[in-house]
Amino acid sequence: MREQPLSFRGTSVRPLPRKNRQWSSGRTCAEDGCPTELSIYNRSKYCWAHEPVHYYVARGRKKKAEAA
Ligand SMILES: [Zn+2]
């Protein structure tokens, strides 16, 4: 049995299918007519204003005056 000379302790970096990559710059919002440039870190096709999905949930809804 031969010992493998390299990457035996798991320290070698495997080629991941996807690394953290920056998205191409210079993209603009997919909303028609929206000139907003998207951040390279913005994975969405839309700008923050047109992003259909919001990943945050507004907490602390104002209590409606019930049985006023
Ligand atoms: Zn937009």
Side-chain angles (χ1 to χ4, degrees), residues 28-36 38 45-51:
T28 54
C29 179
E31 181 74 14
D32 189 26
C34 181
T36 303
L38 301 180
K45 296 188 299 182
Y46 298 92
C47 69
W48 61 271
H50 292 122
E51 168 59 60

